[in-house]
Amino acid sequence: MTHHHGAPTTNGCDEKLSTPFDDLDAYMALPRMSGLTLSPDGTRLVVGCASLDAKSTAYRTALWEVDPAGTAPAVRLTRGAKGESGAAFTCGGDLLFTAARPDSDGNSEDDAPAGLWRLPARGGEAELVALMPGGVSGLRTARSAPVLLASTSMLASAVDTDSDEKLRKARKDNKVSAILHSGYPVRYWDADLGPDAPHLVVAELARDTSEIAGVRSAHLTFADLAPAPGQALREAHYDVSADGSMVATSWQVAEARGSQRSDLMLFNRSSGAKQVLVSGGNASWGEPAFSPDGSYVACVSESVSTPLQAPVIRVHLVNVADRSVRQLAASWDRWPASMAWLPDGTGLLITADDNGRSPIFHLDLASDHVTRITHDDAAYTDLQVAPDGSAVYALRSSYAAPAHPVRVVLAGDCGVVTPLQAPAPNPDLPGALTEVATHAADGHPVRGWLAMPAGASSATPAPLLLWIHGGPLGSWNAWSWRWNPWLMVAAGYAVLLPDPALSTGYGQEFIQRGWGAWGGAPYTDLLAVTDAAIARADIDASRTAAMGGSFGGYMANWVAGHTDRFSAIVTHASLWALDQFGPTTDASYYWGREMSPEMSEANSPHHHVGKIVTPMLVIHGDRDYRVPIGEGLRLWYELISKSQLPIDDDGKTAHRLLYFPNENHWVLSPQHAKIWYEVVLGFLAEHVLGQGAPTLPELLG
């Protein structure tokens, strides 16, 4: 099975032309789009577009208006030096967003919290309408009422924003950073939790900007929905009803022995009442979305996993009046990722991973039937349904193109996709995308994307790079700026992006095959699809490498200890000793559900270090709390002291360690991401292509 996308640009003489992927500086400078929001009347569409700052050390996002009809070019709306985010339209058509900008109190952009800004629908300059000590983020607006829902953070002992500001200043002036905990968790990804906590606040908006005078935060008076939430609203997903009368939110509930679950909470704004909307069922609940008339909340549940049973994610409908719960599409064997209501309330649009794609599906509430709407090889996010239900706007991406805004027809020629005029065009690719499929030893089909360099043929076969995705519950189905195969393709590699057991989009059984047995089906699936790739005449089976990050790094470590077929292995932010990882990661309770002592013992890569004969590049950031730095440090020492690669008289080895003291799980800053690719490409060139060891002066002490 083969599909081709993104044929390389040529000059008519079959000579490959330069693309942004041939130069790291050009690649880093490519604009990146994210976030999409539609005005209530459906006439205005706004997208965020990030670009490098003047020093090339950070990305700044500006808001751009895109023509929903697709005829007019995109227009830039904001130009703040530190960028803008969180766009949301009011019911009157004004555009709200958050940005850290200098204010009348003398705060500079470097120390000012993100404030709430308003760009009037009638035109003019943006004005600051709210500023809180803990910043403002996560904007949600009622579709038919002047109501704003937002998130901020406050210190636990603060009773209002004034006391919160004084407490924050005192901590800063006294250089106090200590945090006293009484529960779990204490960290999340790359952030220390506490001493402040997230709060949900709500405000009444003026319907017309002319009703507001001045420039200070007195414009809006926020009401705190839950004055003492603790960490219950950490990473909360929430929604406000169209009339602004109700708020539904996920709510973290602490349980015994460091565990936690997520319930759904309902707030009635007029009465101030708070009640549990849905809880229990041996599941966590989240992603609430009010129906257009406010009588129902669509949501998802994730069952609590065990060492032997993978989680199951389902869609539900909750009756707000009596809190009865109805499971939807019970026979649909896919995991919903996002949902949007149709304006008439008859159904939901849902995105879900599906066979290496993430299409839009329609769930009809009357029949419970699920129909696929889009049929291309793409992934869709940020669904925004037109008020008349005729179309849905979304961001579409694939491994052939980064995220860009599109319109998808819902009536008539249902499923027809039209790209809109975006702030930046899609970049030319240095090769073409195809697909590889085979069967694993147990008979299950296994597939993956294969990005091929221009000019690869049976006469000049390309070396192969196996790139293993993280998660492990995920899929290679959408463009990634951080994990981008085209930079490797531009260097001449064929890059294989497979979905082995545990990957989403192939049904519950496919996930279950690898659950609690990471070194089993996921490993053999990877080898099977690699065999299928190297059977191609345009791939050189004698020059291969493997790499991965997070769980992909775990698999890279497992591969290193179980086969010598690869010439080099790159392992980023990887799990090494599972008995060590489990209690030290930021969410130990979650991993403990699968990682029983028996599972950890049977599937931990560190037990096989003595069999490793392949040069390995180990990469880790010290601010990685999901896979703590101890994993990388222990892996590095045990490679040096226990693997089979020789050590010279100076204690040097062919293994390498790339360490980032101030980076997190992904290595996000542009300058460090560039170094990441330089080192990886250099390491692969040395061991796969037989080139000399690279020298990078900027990395030397």
Side-chain angles (χ1 to χ4, degrees):
M1 178 171 58
T2 301
H3 303 284
H4 295 280
H5 310 270
T9 303
T10 67
N11 63 3
C13 300
D14 294 328
E15 293 181 9
K16 176 178 173 292
L17 297 181
S18 177
T19 73
F21 303 92
D22 294 288
D23 178 81
L24 280 171
D25 288 325
Y27 170 74
M28 293 296 167
L30 287 172
R32 295 137 192 242
M33 278 164 270
S34 64
L36 197 67
T37 186
L38 182 70
S39 62
D41 63 4
T43 62
R44 302 182 65 195
L45 190 64
V46 170
V47 68
C49 185
S51 57
L52 279 177
D53 65 5
K55 295 182 179 179
S56 297
T57 57
Y59 288 100
R60 305 301 187 196
T61 299
L63 300 180
W64 289 69
E65 185 163 345
V66 175
D67 179 15
T71 58
V75 177
R76 184 167 180 171
L77 300 176
T78 62
R79 296 183 180 274
K82 291 192 70 175
E84 297 80 23
S85 62
F89 281 100
T90 69
C91 64
D94 291 348
L95 181 64
L96 302 177
F97 60 87
T98 60
R101 297 182 179 180
D103 59 32
S104 57
D105 287 349
N107 287 321
S108 69
E109 288 173 328
D110 291 333
D111 57 14
L116 174 67
W117 293 74
R118 184 173 191 162
L119 190 61
R122 67 174 187 274
E125 295 295 323
E127 62 175 354
L128 179 68
V129 294
L131 188 63
M132 304 182 76
V136 182
S137 63
L139 308 183
R140 302 285 187 276
T141 52
R143 180 166 291 273
S144 58
V147 174
L148 167 69
L149 181 65
S151 176
T152 189
S153 64
M154 294 179 62
L155 293 168
S157 57
V159 296
D160 53 30
T161 55
D162 288 339
S163 61
D164 186 49
E165 189 169 22
K166 291 177 182 178
L167 288 167
R168 288 176 184 273
K169 186 177 186 303
R171 281 181 64 89
K172 181 178 179 180
D173 292 346
N174 289 289
K175 301 187 183 303
V176 173
S177 59
I179 305 170
L180 178 63
H181 292 281
S182 61
Y184 188 87
V186 299
R187 304 195 298 184
Y188 189 72
W189 284 115
D190 60 354
D192 296 308
L193 300 182
D196 57 357
H199 287 239
L200 275 183
V201 293
V202 66
E204 295 280 348
L205 295 165
R207 286 188 178 272
D208 191 315
T209 314
S210 62
E211 299 174 23
I212 300 176
V215 293
R216 192 55 187 124
S217 57
H219 293 173
L220 293 180
T221 300
F222 282 103
D224 196 338
L225 287 179
Q231 291 294 330
L233 291 168
R234 178 176 55 83
E235 295 297 307
H237 297 97
Y238 45 85
D239 193 24
V240 58
S241 60
D243 64 2
S245 64
M246 294 178 292
V247 171
T249 180
S250 58
W251 187 268
Q252 298 289 340
V253 178
E255 298 181 314
R257 300 185 181 276
S259 183
Q260 61 180 344
R261 71 174 192 274
S262 177
D263 294 344
L264 285 186
M265 199 71 68
L266 184 69
F267 294 87
N268 186 302
R269 288 189 54 239
S270 60
S271 67
K274 178 182 76 172
Q275 64 176 329
V276 176
L277 184 62
V278 60
S279 174
N282 198 36
S284 280
W285 300 81
E287 306 291 342
F290 278 103
S291 62
D293 65 1
S295 59
Y296 292 94
V297 171
C299 62
V300 299
S301 69
E302 179 177 343
S303 64
V304 176
S305 58
T306 71
L308 299 178
Q309 182 63 52
V312 179
I313 299 178
R314 295 298 189 198
V315 188
H316 301 267
L317 201 60
V318 184
N319 187 308
V320 172
D322 61 16
R323 289 182 287 174
S324 60
V325 181
R326 169 190 164 195
Q327 182 178 328
L328 303 175
S331 61
W332 186 44
D333 196 13
R334 292 295 182 266
W335 285 6
S338 66
M339 297 182 295
W341 281 88
L342 292 177
D344 61 5
T346 61
L348 296 165
L349 297 183
I350 300 176
T351 62
D353 291 351
D354 184 59
N355 197 41
R357 291 85 171 157
S358 187
I360 301 174
F361 297 88
H362 171 238
L363 170 56
D364 181 76
L365 296 183
S367 66
D368 219 26
H369 184 66
V370 178
T371 305
R372 181 170 173 171
I373 298 296
T374 58
H375 298 277
D376 52 11
D377 298 332
Y380 290 81
T381 63
D382 299 79
L383 303 185
Q384 301 287 306
V385 185
D388 62 0
S390 63
V392 59
Y393 301 92
L395 291 181
R396 178 180 69 173
S397 77
S398 67
Y399 274 99
H404 55 279
V406 298
R407 182 180 68 253
V408 182
V409 175
L410 296 178
D413 295 329
C414 187
V416 172
V417 182
T418 303
L420 304 179
Q421 294 196 47
N426 292 333
D428 292 329
L429 301 179
L433 190 67
T434 185
E435 197 167 7
V436 174
T438 187
H439 284 83
D442 61 3
H444 276 84
V446 182
R447 57 154 301 282
W449 294 111
L450 181 64
M452 291 294 298
S457 67
S458 58
T460 56
L464 180 72
L465 174 60
L466 167 66
W467 200 336
I468 311 164
H469 73 65
L473 303 174
S475 171
W476 283 127
N477 60 24
W479 183 278
S480 170
W481 289 106
R482 185 61 197 89
W483 314 121
N484 197 289
W486 296 110
L487 291 165
M488 281 63 181
V489 172
Y493 297 92
V495 181
L496 177 61
L497 305 165
D499 280 352
L502 289 174
S503 297
T504 51
Y506 305 91
Q508 194 68 30
E509 183 183 355
F510 197 78
I511 295 170
Q512 190 63 45
R513 290 174 61 233
W515 190 259
W518 291 3
Y523 171 67
T524 55
D525 284 2
L526 289 172
L527 295 192
V529 75
T530 300
D531 287 339
I534 63 174
R536 294 170 53 109
D538 54 0
I539 289 181
D540 185 350
S542 68
R543 296 187 297 166
T544 62
M547 65 184 291
S550 194
F551 172 79
Y554 161 88
M555 286 307 312
N557 294 338
W558 188 264
V559 166
H562 287 79
T563 180
D564 61 358
R565 67 182 293 170
F566 297 102
S567 301
I569 291 177
V570 179
T571 178
H572 168 94
S574 64
L575 290 70
W576 175 243
L578 297 189
D579 60 340
Q580 171 182 274
F581 163 80
T584 58
T585 182
D586 59 351
S588 296
Y589 71 92
Y590 174 85
W591 298 101
R593 294 169 181 170
E594 180 180 7
M595 288 185 183
S596 64
E598 295 78 13
M599 182 274 190
S600 296
E601 178 67 20
N603 294 277
S604 190
H606 82 284
H607 290 311
H608 307 280
V609 64
K611 302 174 186 176
I612 293 178
V613 297
T614 307
M616 296 186 69
L617 169 61
V618 180
I619 309 175
H620 223 108
D622 209 318
R623 295 286 295 179
D624 185 351
Y625 298 160
R626 180 55 48 95
V627 183
I629 185 61
E631 294 297 296
L633 294 177
R634 181 169 173 179
L635 166 57
W636 177 242
Y637 175 71
E638 293 187 348
L639 281 178
I640 294 294
S641 61
K642 296 181 181 180
S643 74
Q644 292 192 33
L645 262 65
I647 307 293
D648 64 22
D649 292 339
D650 295 326
K652 301 294 180 61
T653 176
H655 299 307
R656 293 289 184 270
L657 170 66
L658 178 59
Y659 168 66
F660 292 98
N662 299 313
E663 287 287 355
N664 59 17
H665 194 62
W666 301 279
V667 183
L668 293 178
S669 64
Q671 67 275 23
H672 285 155
K674 179 182 174 182
I675 288 173
W676 190 96
Y677 279 106
E678 287 176 333
V679 173
V680 169
L681 287 167
F683 185 78
L684 294 176
E686 177 184 4
H687 296 288
V688 178
L689 305 182
Q691 299 177 3
T695 58
L696 296 170
E698 67 270 26
L699 299 185
L700 302 180

